[in-house]
Every structure is written in C-alpha cells, then in structure tokens.
C-alpha cells in the first residue's frame, strides 16, 4: 500500500454522435492533452479532505458516508468515486485529495469525468487493487450516474482509454479508432453550457415527436459509422462533410445557438472542410476539420466571429500515474 500518489487524466472533445449516444447509439470522442491532475494521500481519520480550487473548494471535509446531495456541487464527483470504490473494495483510511486542472471547467472538456477517473485510479493504486480499464470505467460511470442521473459515459471512456474512441452508449462497445492527431481547430463560445438541462430538453422533444427524433438519431448513428471509417482512412475532407450534416441534425434537435452558428460558419467560410458543435450544445465549444494550409485562416476567422481558439492536441494518452 502506498500513502501518496499523483494521477492525471485527459479532458475530451466529442467529435460525432452527441445526444444520440444517450439513447444507446455510437459516438466518436477524442481525448485532449489538457489534463486533470489529482494528488491523493491517505490520512489517519475516516474523513475525506478535499482541496479543489477550480470549483471553489479551498478546504472541504466530510465523511465518506455523507449523502451526495448534501455536498457542495464541486465535491460530488470526488465523493461519489470514493463511495463506489469503497462499495467494492474496502477503504482502509481517510483521504486528502487535491485537484488541479490544466483547463477551465467552463470549456466542457469534462473536468467532472476526468476527476472521477483520477480518484478511482488513485485508490486502486494506493490500495493495490488490480482494475482493468473496463472495471475502472464501470466504477466511474456509476459514480457519474449517481451524481447527475444522465449521461452516456463517453467522457469517462475518453479519460480512461485516451486516443480517439468509438463508444456505444453506456459502454456497450469501446474501441480505439486512432491514436493519431486529427486536423482539428477548437473554438470556445465563451458560454458555459449545462449538459443535464440540454439532455432533458432533447428528451422532451423526443417524447413529443418520437418518430421524427428517433429517425434523426438513426441518421446520426449512420454518420458515426461512416466517420469511424473516414478517420481510419484519413479522409478529412469527407469527414468535414459529415460534420456539416451532423451539425444540421443537432440544429434540428434545438441545441444549436447563434454564437455556435457564427463560429461554425466563419470556420467554413475560411476554408475548413466542415464544422459542428461539440458536446451538448447551448454553448461550450465548436470544432472544425481543417486542411493544414488553412489552419491559421480558420483560427483567425473564429476569433473575428467572437470565439476563443483553444490550443489543444487530440488523441491524447488516457489516465496515468504521474508519481
Ligand atoms: C455531452 O457532452 C454529450 C451528450 O451526448 C451527453 C452524453 O453523452 O452524456 C449530450
């Protein structure tokens, strides 16, 4: 048993298939090289001490059995990961946990899922429990569902495996598509989106127009299947065309915004192969597939349209022990 460990896990960007994946469809997600870093130390009492400045927690302390909805929002994923680990393997001490993120939790890069994965991985390393990636995924996915009730788990998979993944809702299938960097530009709208609300809005639309929304999801599923092949073949021009179609379908689900549209149109006018929102919609980020010779023009156009270009590499390594 160790008594201190540092773990890091990547953030993620959804490439294709958002929303449909919540209903059991496939999606494609890539891990980014901006990482969440978590240090976990054992302590003598049975409490969890948490220092998570990016979510406003300077020094929070409670027992491992504290009920999740009584905790501050920023502490719930950490406590939930500890609880679910403890539910399977007994925790033998208290914990001091410090989080530190390379990226702002505003971007929608998945700070909650990355932190959950770091904590569960740290506990398995500290208490010498051999977990394979799927077991780690299952503990963390349950933790996310316990906290937010909804979610496909794609963000947990990206944090665990890294690379660019083909992921089927709930983790029914998780396969590496590519470990190579894809030619992407990422633009942030400056608006933080609330994923749970957007997922609920789409659920409401699906309830009121079941046949129409189901057929939109089915088309998105086809797009994901084709996108997977195009990524393997490195055909980014055709991948861009699929991004444009996927964007149109997301717009029809009501999750697009004027700001996202402005950045997407600016990117396409500047020479991107194609562009779409990434994630739940309502704000956060857009992505554009670009020919390298047009990258600078696309970045400038996104900034001119009021977006902030986020410099990240994709296909990054999954969770790892730092020291
Ligand atoms: C949010 O980034 C992506 C959604 O598909 C939700 C999820 O898959 O958990 C909207």
């Amino acid at each position: 048993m160790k008594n201190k460990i540092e773990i890091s896990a990547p953030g993620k960007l959804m490439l294709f298939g958002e929303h449909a994946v919540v209903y059991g469809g496939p999606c494609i997600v890539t891990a980014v090289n901006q990482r969440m870093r978590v240090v976990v130390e054992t302590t003598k009492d049975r409490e969890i001490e948490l220092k998570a400045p990016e979510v406003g927690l300077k020094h929070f302390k409670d027992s491992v059995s504290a009920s999740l909805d009584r905790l501050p929002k920023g502490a719930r994923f950490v406590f939930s990961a500890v609880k679910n680990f403890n539910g399977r393997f007994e925790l033998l001490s208290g914990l001091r946990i410090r989080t530190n993120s390379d990226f702002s939790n505003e971007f929608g890069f998945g700070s909650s899922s990355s932190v959950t994965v770091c904590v569960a991985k740290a506990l398995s390393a500290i208490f010498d429990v051999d977990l394979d990636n799927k077991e780690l995924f299952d503990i963390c996915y349950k933790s996310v569902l316990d906290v937010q009730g909804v979610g496909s788990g794609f963000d947990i998979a990206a944090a665990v495996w890294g690379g660019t993944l083909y992921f089927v809702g709930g983790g029914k299938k998780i396969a590496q598509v590519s470990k190579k960097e894809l030619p992407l530009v990422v633009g942030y709208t400056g608006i933080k989106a609330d994923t749970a609300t957007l997922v609920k809005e789409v659920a409401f639309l699906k309830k009121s127009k079941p046949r129409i929304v189901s057929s939109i999801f089915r088309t998105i599923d086809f797009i994901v299947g084709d996108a997977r092949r195009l990524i393997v073949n490195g055909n980014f021009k055709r991948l861009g065309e699929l991004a444009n179609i996927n964007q149109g379908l997301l717009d029809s689900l009501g999750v697009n915004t004027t700001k996202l549209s402005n950045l997407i149109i600016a990117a396409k006018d500047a020479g991107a192969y194609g562009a779409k929102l990434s994630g739940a919609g309502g704000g956060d980020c857009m992505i554009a597939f670009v020919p390298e010779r047009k990258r600078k023009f696309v970045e400038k156009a996104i900034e001119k349209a009021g977006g902030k270009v986020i410099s990240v590499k994709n296909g990054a390594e999954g969770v790892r022990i730092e020291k």
Side-chain angles (χ1 to χ4, degrees), residues 12 14 17-22 108 148 150-155 195 199 278-280:
K12 54 77 189 151
M14 177 68 100
E18 45 273 90
H19 289 290
V21 67
V22 175
Q148 63 186 29
V150 289
S152 64
F154 81 103
D155 41 3
T195 300
V199 169
S278 167

Side-chain angles (χ1 to χ4, degrees), residues 27-57:
C27 74
I28 294 180
V29 56
T30 190
V32 296
N33 69 338
Q34 296 202 5
R35 304 181 75 85
M36 174 64 71
R37 295 164 202 283
V38 176
V39 177
V40 180
E41 275 174 85
T42 54
T43 57
K44 293 229 153 36
D45 58 18
R46 300 283 296 152
E47 306 257 280
I48 301 172
E49 281 176 53
L50 174 61
K51 209 174 180 187
E54 36 329 294
V55 289
L57 295 175

Side-chain angles (χ1 to χ4, degrees), residues 247-259:
Q247 171 61 15
L249 294 168
L250 287 164
D251 193 10
S252 72
L253 293 174
V255 299
N256 192 21
T257 66
T258 307
K259 186 75 182 272

Side-chain angles (χ1 to χ4, degrees), residues 5 23 66-67 92 140 157 167 169 190 207 215 228 239-240 304 313:
I5 199 156
Y23 296 87
S67 99
L92 300 171
C140 296
F167 174 89
K207 212 163 171 207
S215 72
R228 179 184 187 177
L239 200 63
K304 199 163 165 226
K313 290 199 183 307

